[in-house]
Amino acid sequence: MQRTPGTPVKLLAIVCLAAPLHAGAQVSNPFEGDARAIRAGERLYANRCAACHGADGKGATGPDVTMLWLEGTNDEHVFQTVREGVDGAVMPPSFAPDEELWAMVAYLRDISTVPPFDPAGGDAGSGREIFAANCAQCHRVNGDGGTLGPDLSNIAAVRSREALIGSIRDPSETVEAGYRTVTLVAADGERIEGVVKGEDAFSIQVVDTDARLQGYLKANLRRFVHEDESLMPRFGRLRLSERELDDLLAFLGTLREDASADR
Amino acid sequence: MSMRKTLVLVSGLLLTTTVAGALFAQSDPSDSVPGDPSDPGVSYADILRGFDDPSSWLTYSGDFSGRRHSPLTQINRENVNRLAPAWTFQTGTLTRGRGFETTPLLYDGVLYVTGSNNFAWALDARTGRPFWTYQRDLPDNLTYGRVAPVNRGFGMLGNRLFMVTLDAHLLAFDRRTGNVLWDVVLADYEIGHAATLAPLVIDDKVVVGISGGEYPTRGFIDAYDPATGDLVWRFYTIPDWGEPGSETWPNEEAAMQGGGGTWMTGSYDPELDLLYWGTGNPNPDYYGASRLGDNLYTASIVAVEGATGELKWHYQFTPHDIHDWDSNHVPVQAELMIDGEERKVVMVANRNGFFYVLDRRDGELLLAEPFTDTTWAREIGADGRPIVLNNDGSGGCLPDQWGGTNFMPPTYDPALELFFVNARETCSSYVPFEPEYVRGEATTGGVVWTDRDVEYGALRAIDVMTGERLWEFRYPSATMAGVMSTAAGLVFAGDHQGNFMAFDGATGENLWYYPTGSRIWGAAAMTYILDGRQFVVIPSGTTLVAFALPRYEFASPAGGR
């Protein structure tokens, strides 16, 4: 194996400053939270993993790797997966030194963790009512609610407070994949609004505003338009005061606790 | 499409099938591949004849020209909308992250098919029923072979089939039994090599290339003796240190691990005895600072003498590439009247988004026009080099690392003088950084950010005289599926949603489609006629599907077997 002379092994140098591994029942990451290791891990990840898992870890040909801790994994398990690869899949084993693997684990954990948000001030009980009145027709939590929008049971664990506020105040700013809006005009002139679940050159699969799953042949439509706007209405201050928003967020935050208690 | 033409063709074929039928009757079809035990099999003259006998398909692109343009016209513009599945073969082997990328070969009524994970089969071309199955016992520490566990097909000569493997070997099989006759090592897979292409059999040589340009490797084209597996010659895509071209690298070390894979089957001009072969990205893919210079002969086409492996000419599409834009495409040959003179040309729609026409005798650049909308470069200068506007994507969209197209075969219809290619419109930017070298690990050296909201794919018809786009048919996402054309004026294409489609080549009108249920990835269709019935075959997902017109659509001359 060739190592270019004059190519210093910077990353290794960084991570080797930290303590060696301890033997123990559950091996913990010697670099957990270590900013330098996380930076090193980021570069290693970009070099060796991003092609399959996406530059942001959100998945490409390989799966999203930013939800692992949320789904109940631990550092050692991720370490072993990266070391051994996934049998029968293209996920390769890694022959890199332990330190590099731990640095990548530290990085993955860093990008996977959304700081818990402070429910200070918000009243979860009132938030539950606001949710039932304004949101449940389109969103499920813990099994109840509508299906036009995404399930929000876990949303506080995977989105920051700022992102949630953005989604509620101005939904069209970022529209979730799998929930893009489409307007169809059928041959008889009927207008159908819905979110796109699938599309190819000849057909489109839609969940309409009545939550009906329906496929359409493009050739049979008078026209179809992909809209930039979200199907979720804007909840501006007139519709949802700052106080009510806090209550709503507090409610969504308690769901997060419930969800993690199940694991 | 004239009716008379079809009839003539069919009756011409009647003769062939009767002869084949007679041979068939002499053997027991129950266990091994049928045929006369004294049949010498495929001769080099047979391969040279290419599409003259459309009841066979003996080399990856159907003939040496790389055009993938069949003379068959039974399926035509009028009846293609009645095309229906005739059979499906389930391979049972999954290609995670990639596709079922093969082109089957056809000889004497039998399809010889390679699959992912180094499976292979001999199938009855009329029914899809297997005669034999082969699976290679692969080591568990594959490198690139694990990332892309694919294979693109067999080469064939005599009664032998040739296949490369994910652990970078070349195998010869007995086509009748699937038994391995010899097995030679191409390269060390543990440092990053693998082999995935369909071998190209030319006069008494099996020509192959190698994968692994994402790793510190040095690409090559090899020619082997079909009888013994002995190496006849090797051409390195990165010259020896001190040889011409090596001055385009900063030092020997960077050059010797500079990539330049040769992982896609080339084309061949038997008169000039020149092989045309694409070469891959320089290594590391995105980090160029450790390999300043043009990095010859990466991201190029090389013309190499078949007899000796000597380089006759080269043309570099992407000097000093930093986008993983391999130039591993099927070089497509044509004879074009340019300024009143017939030119033998070779055409490439490149991953960098340009369509090129070169004189295939000397490599003179005749035409280069963009066939995608990206801003990397919009013209090629008088010196033959791209005038780069935006090399990292900061000033607009660049094609992603999969390119403006990729290795999936394009096709050329000489009657229409149109080149058909599945184009990919994507929007990426590139952020390089200095990579680490670890044995057995890829050294990409950067991150690619892609805006997945704006991509699409399109089948495009390119006028080969001007490079202009005549028409396009769009798909909702960028595709990796290949294209085939026929003398009926049809173009068969696939897409990422799994549709297998037929188009009117002259107008771009979609005439037929069939949802196969899995993306078509890296494969193009092939076609043949047996017992007077034309089949079109496409690999998709884990299946190989054959389409034909319903039997009542045409007179079955022999009444079937």
Side-chain angles (χ1 to χ4, degrees):
Chain A
M1 162 74 221
Q2 312 86 316
R3 214 187 264 285
T4 319
T7 303
V9 195
K10 285 196 201 99
L11 298 176
L12 270 178
I14 292 169
V15 293
C16 289
L17 293 173
L21 300 184
H22 312 285
Q26 201 208 290
V27 185
S28 60
N29 188 343
F31 309 133
E32 151 116 59
D34 180 313
R36 293 166 308 168
I38 291 169
R39 264 201 315 281
E42 178 176 11
R43 297 187 110 205
L44 291 165
Y45 172 87
N47 204 10
R48 301 195 193 139
C49 327
C52 294
H53 290 288
D56 53 3
K58 287 286 180 197
T61 56
D64 186 330
V65 283
T66 64
M67 306 290 213
L68 299 170
W69 279 266
L70 194 78
E71 288 159 357
T73 195
N74 59 52
D75 291 13
E76 185 187 6
H77 185 76
V78 176
F79 177 95
Q80 288 304 342
T81 306
V82 179
R83 168 65 76 218
E84 286 157 23
V86 179
D87 242 1
V90 295
M91 166 76 190
S94 172
F95 311 112
D98 281 2
E99 289 79 1
E100 295 189 8
L101 262 53
W102 284 121
M104 284 189 277
V105 172
Y107 166 69
L108 285 178
R109 180 150 181 183
D110 185 58
I111 60 168
S112 301
T113 311
V114 175
F117 52 72
D118 181 9
D123 173 351
S126 141
R128 178 186 301 275
E129 283 165 28
I130 296 166
F131 188 88
N134 294 284
C135 322
Q137 78 210 66
C138 295
H139 291 288
R140 266 150 306 143
V141 292
N142 298 339
D144 290 325
T147 51
L148 186 65
D151 191 316
L152 297 182
S153 310
N154 222 2
I155 199 74
V158 296
R159 300 278 186 268
S160 66
R161 185 185 179 91
E162 293 66 44
L164 280 185
I165 294 173
S167 294
I168 296 167
R169 290 283 189 222
D170 190 5
S172 298
E173 194 56 40
T174 54
V175 179
E176 282 303 293
Y179 295 93
R180 305 261 153 80
T181 309
V182 70
T183 305
L184 311 175
V185 182
D188 62 6
E190 189 200 354
R191 276 176 78 88
I192 301 137
E193 275 211 316
V195 294
V196 182
K197 295 297 174 180
E199 183 183 353
D200 72 3
F202 306 102
S203 71
I204 186 159
Q205 290 72 41
V206 169
V207 174
D208 69 19
T209 42
D210 299 328
R212 182 166 175 234
L213 280 61
Q214 202 61 198
Y216 298 88
L217 286 177
K218 290 180 179 174
N220 295 342
L221 294 172
R222 206 177 279 173
R223 67 198 175 87
F224 72 96
V225 183
H226 288 278
E227 314 280 1
D228 290 334
E229 298 287 295
S230 170
L231 262 188
M232 171 164 158
R234 291 178 49 120
F235 286 88
R237 282 181 184 73
L238 292 178
R239 207 161 171 184
L240 193 71
S241 69
E242 287 298 312
R243 164 100 232 158
E244 287 168 322
L245 181 62
D246 278 348
D247 294 350
L248 200 48
L249 292 174
F251 168 63
L252 294 173
T254 58
L255 296 174
R256 172 184 178 170
E257 283 152 28
D258 294 351
S260 47
D262 288 347
R263 294 215 162 81
Chain B
M1 151 70 238
S2 88
M3 199 59 196
R4 197 185 294 131
K5 234 184 197 164
T6 324
L7 287 177
V8 170
L9 233 174
V10 169
S11 58
L13 273 151
L14 247 174
L15 287 174
T16 347
T17 44
T18 323
V19 175
L23 290 178
F24 184 79
Q26 295 165 6
S27 71
D28 175 8
S30 58
D31 38 21
S32 61
V33 169
D36 177 351
S38 64
D39 177 2
V42 174
S43 69
Y44 178 59
D46 294 335
I47 305 175
L48 268 178
R49 272 197 295 277
F51 284 115
D52 288 357
D53 173 11
S55 70
S56 68
W57 185 293
L58 302 177
T59 187
Y60 178 74
S61 297
D63 71 4
F64 282 140
S65 74
R67 290 177 195 168
R68 205 170 276 262
H69 180 73
S70 162
L72 291 174
T73 55
Q74 180 179 84
I75 300 165
N76 58 42
R77 282 187 293 242
E78 282 72 47
N79 62 20
V80 67
N81 63 350
R82 295 190 291 279
L83 206 56
W87 52 258
T88 297
F89 175 67
Q90 298 280 354
T91 66
T93 184
L94 202 65
T95 330
R96 297 211 191 211
R98 289 286 293 252
F100 184 13
E101 303 182 0
T102 199
T103 296
L105 298 187
L106 174 72
Y107 175 69
D108 192 18
V110 179
L111 285 173
Y112 297 97
V113 188
T114 68
S116 301
N117 308 301
N118 288 159
F119 274 80
W121 307 271
L123 307 179
D124 181 340
R126 296 164 174 93
T127 62
R129 301 282 308 155
F131 293 104
W132 52 254
T133 298
Y134 168 83
Q135 183 189 5
R136 182 164 176 82
D137 194 8
L138 289 164
D140 57 15
N141 61 341
L142 290 176
T143 49
Y144 187 70
R146 186 166 172 125
V147 178
V150 302
N151 191 281
R152 307 203 182 84
F154 279 121
M156 189 169 193
L157 187 68
N159 286 317
R160 293 185 171 188
L161 299 166
F162 307 97
M163 178 180 106
V164 295
T165 70
L166 299 171
D167 54 345
H169 287 227
L170 170 62
L171 312 181
F173 296 87
D174 185 326
R175 72 172 174 89
R176 291 160 300 203
T177 59
N179 290 345
V180 175
L181 301 172
W182 48 254
D183 175 338
V184 296
V185 177
L186 301 176
D188 179 4
Y189 74 84
E190 292 189 50
I191 66 165
H193 285 297
T196 57
L197 84 182
L200 185 71
V201 175
I202 61 171
D203 197 6
D204 225 24
K205 283 174 204 71
V206 183
V207 182
V208 297
I210 195 79
S211 314
E214 272 63 51
Y215 299 75
T217 58
R218 181 187 182 199
F220 55 82
I221 305 171
D222 275 357
Y224 291 87
D225 182 331
T228 60
D230 292 338
L231 182 68
V232 183
W233 52 252
R234 167 167 290 192
F235 167 75
Y236 277 109
T237 57
I238 297 172
D240 282 340
W241 194 245
E243 290 295 309
S246 66
E247 73 286 353
T248 64
W249 296 87
N251 56 56
E252 183 170 7
E253 190 127 29
M256 292 306 118
Q257 55 189 25
T262 48
W263 47 269
M264 191 58 203
T265 311
S267 68
Y268 179 60
D269 183 330
E271 272 170 41
L272 300 174
D273 187 29
L274 284 182
L275 288 158
Y276 303 97
W277 218 275
T279 65
N281 63 279
N283 171 67
D285 300 53
Y286 311 124
Y287 184 74
S290 62
R291 51 173 174 81
L292 294 176
D294 280 356
N295 308 140
L296 291 174
Y297 300 101
T298 64
S300 301
I301 182 173
V302 292
V304 169
E305 201 172 70
T308 61
E310 249 168 61
L311 180 70
K312 281 290 167 224
W313 57 261
H314 78 277
Y315 176 79
Q316 190 175 42
F317 300 103
T318 314
H320 188 72
D321 174 52
I322 49 168
H323 317 94
D324 193 15
W325 291 341
D326 305 63
S327 291
N328 303 88
H329 310 279
V330 181
V332 179
Q333 300 174 27
E335 278 65 53
L336 298 183
M337 287 300 286
I338 297 176
D339 299 331
E341 194 191 335
E342 194 191 74
R343 302 291 284 260
K344 290 173 182 293
V345 305
V346 60
M347 304 179 286
V348 172
N350 197 272
R351 211 149 138 173
N352 69 13
F354 279 83
F355 171 74
Y356 297 85
V357 180
L358 301 151
D359 188 311
R360 72 172 184 269
R361 289 165 311 184
D362 55 14
E364 183 193 343
L365 181 65
L366 302 173
L367 179 87
E369 291 293 333
F371 68 94
T372 61
D373 292 333
T374 57
T375 56
W376 172 64
R378 298 305 293 168
E379 60 183 303
I380 304 298
D383 58 357
R385 299 172 70 89
I387 300 172
V388 175
L389 305 169
N390 170 20
N391 219 16
D392 63 2
S394 53
C397 290
L398 295 189
D400 67 8
Q401 68 270 44
W402 298 95
T405 184
N406 206 297
F407 67 92
M408 58 281 203
T411 186
Y412 174 64
D413 184 329
L416 298 172
E417 291 198 341
L418 289 177
F419 185 98
F420 302 100
V421 61
N422 261 336
R424 308 175 73 258
E425 292 288 1
T426 54
C427 183
S428 290
S429 56
Y430 291 74
V431 182
F433 57 73
E434 188 177 347
E436 285 293 309
Y437 282 122
V438 172
R439 185 180 167 83
E441 302 264 354
T443 44
T444 45
V447 194
V448 185
W449 299 98
T450 302
D451 181 350
R452 296 200 190 98
D453 284 350
V454 297
E455 73 164 50
Y456 68 93
L459 174 62
R460 290 185 174 151
I462 302 174
D463 179 334
V464 299
M465 302 303 292
T466 62
E468 245 171 272
R469 282 184 225 166
L470 203 69
W471 54 257
E472 72 168 13
F473 180 88
R474 286 198 184 191
Y475 325 117
S477 70
T479 177
M480 290 290 293
V483 198
M484 176 189 79
S485 61
T486 70
L490 293 178
V491 177
F492 289 89
D495 73 15
H496 208 65
Q497 284 68 40
N499 287 304
F500 182 50
M501 300 161 283
F503 297 88
D504 182 332
T507 65
E509 185 191 350
N510 174 256
L511 301 173
W512 171 83
Y513 70 95
Y514 178 85
T516 65
S518 183
R519 63 190 191 183
I520 298 170
W521 212 107
M526 54 90 69
T527 185
Y528 53 89
I529 192 157
L530 284 177
D531 306 334
R533 192 181 193 201
Q534 184 184 353
F535 293 84
V536 178
V537 175
I538 187 77
S540 160
T542 59
T543 63
L544 191 68
V545 191
F547 296 88
L549 294 172
R551 287 194 176 279
Y552 59 77
E553 290 274 330
F554 58 95
S556 174
R561 291 184 299 142

